[in-house]
Amino acid sequence: MSAGALVLRTVPRVIRVCTADGAGSVWSHRRKRRWKRRSRLILTSFRFLGAPMADGSLWGDLRRPVVVDLFCGAGGTSLGVEMAGLEVQAAVNHWPYAISVHSKNHPNTLHFTEDVFDVEPWIAARGRQIDLLVGSPDCTHFSVAKGGAPRDSGRRALADVFVKWATQVRPARIILENVKEFTTWGPLYPEDYPIEKLRGQPIPERKGEYFRAWVQDLEDLGYRVEWRVLTACDYGTPQRRNQRIRQSLPELLLQHVMSCRKKS
């Protein structure tokens, strides 16, 4: 249920509770206790919704698409979103310094300084439908630049947060950026493995196992998942970095877009 709907449906009950029989009947007490619980939820919702937007409104410009940036860092992805003509309404990162920089560059964005798994999607979107969910999870535990150092299975599983958001709020489009080795995501040798140099390293014969399961989770939710490798220097960046871009579209939305293209 959206925050807007929550407020609109419960606030009128104040009048009914206050104007009900005030004789202290069992019905009246139950209604009052019920309202106290609801009022706490409403106040909590408004606290998490944060301060009003730069234009003074609580919800922002309702005519603009809603974009949320997970793992926002200092704002590289958010800048790309703005260059595409959109505006990021909410950004999430656990590092306060990153959020500090991002807030300077994107003052109209609602910022969350906490773990991405702890943020409630409907609160970040202020109860509105999310048109675009973008994010660049930590890539160091996939990248070949890590060398022979042990990988962290928890850091490699950060992409699971996209499944959480897809499950709860069904963004119209999801775009994830990572290194090309992301598609090799699979289990690691345990820390007590007999061969010490293999501990924390990917198991070759199970390469890509978790990635395929992750894609299947999104497809089960009705998304069509596509990915490709893009080279940074082909897009104006003075360095040669191959990044894997993955996007997901709901199946029905994709069919609608394709049909529109055919008609035009």
Side-chain angles (χ1 to χ4, degrees):
M1 181 182 295
S2 68
L6 175 65
V7 174
L8 291 176
R9 291 178 185 174
T10 55
V11 168
R13 292 178 183 247
V14 179
I15 300 174
R16 288 201 292 271
V17 171
C18 293
T19 57
D21 58 328
S25 64
V26 175
W27 176 85
S28 179
H29 284 302
R30 286 178 178 174
R31 292 297 296 270
K32 288 178 181 178
R33 286 199 300 269
R34 194 179 308 162
W35 166 247
K36 286 181 179 179
R37 289 196 297 269
R38 291 195 180 102
S39 62
R40 283 196 298 268
L41 179 58
I42 293 172
L43 292 175
T44 301
S45 301
F46 275 110
R47 185 170 66 250
F48 279 107
L49 286 173
M53 305 292 281
D55 60 3
S57 68
L58 179 62
W59 307 105
D61 189 348
L62 298 179
R63 297 168 298 179
R64 295 184 64 83
V66 176
V67 183
V68 177
D69 186 358
L70 303 179
F71 312 97
C72 67
T77 301
S78 296
L79 177 60
V81 169
E82 290 189 352
M83 292 172 66
L86 302 175
E87 183 179 352
V88 175
Q89 275 74 28
V92 184
N93 199 286
H94 72 287
W95 194 26
Y97 291 106
I99 289 294
S100 177
V101 174
H102 194 284
S103 62
K104 296 294 184 182
N105 294 321
H106 307 276
N108 295 329
T109 300
L110 177 67
H111 292 90
F112 295 82
T113 312
E114 53 188 302
D115 189 292
V116 290
F117 285 97
D118 294 336
V119 176
E120 291 297 332
W122 70 271
I123 293 178
R126 297 186 173 224
R128 295 176 58 195
Q129 166 65 37
I130 297 177
D131 298 285
L132 174 61
L133 177 65
V134 297
S136 303
D138 189 309
C139 66
T140 56
H141 292 265
F142 290 107
S143 176
V144 293
K146 185 74 173 177
R151 267 64 171 174
D152 186 312
S153 59
R155 299 280 284 277
R156 287 162 65 90
L158 288 173
D160 283 337
V161 73
F162 290 91
V163 177
K164 170 189 172 180
W165 283 62
T167 302
Q168 294 188 14
V169 293
R170 292 293 199 281
R173 183 188 293 267
I174 301 172
I175 297 179
L176 180 148
E177 177 271 337
N178 212 294
V179 293
K180 61 182 181 180
E181 291 80 16
F182 176 62
T183 56
T184 67
W185 178 21
L188 306 175
Y189 285 107
E191 296 182 357
D192 58 352
Y193 194 71
I195 304 176
E196 184 176 354
K197 67 177 182 180
L198 292 180
R199 295 173 184 172
Q201 296 299 315
I203 302 175
E205 57 269 23
R206 302 182 64 182
K207 182 183 298 185
E209 181 178 312
Y210 291 170
F211 174 75
R212 291 189 293 272
W214 178 77
V215 170
Q216 186 62 55
D217 287 341
L218 289 172
E219 291 179 342
D220 290 344
L221 291 170
Y223 287 86
R224 176 176 293 181
V225 183
E226 303 171 352
W227 61 90
R228 66 193 65 180
V229 176
L230 304 178
T231 303
C233 63
D234 293 337
Y235 297 87
T237 302
Q239 58 178 302
R240 187 170 183 176
R241 298 181 63 190
N242 295 321
Q243 302 296 99
R244 188 171 296 278
I245 307 295
R246 197 261 329 148
Q247 71 170 357
S248 302
L249 276 173
E251 190 74 24
L252 294 178
L253 175 62
L254 182 62
Q255 291 176 357
H256 177 67
V257 171
M258 291 177 65
S259 64
C260 288
R261 289 177 181 172
K262 289 178 181 178
K263 291 179 182 179
S264 61

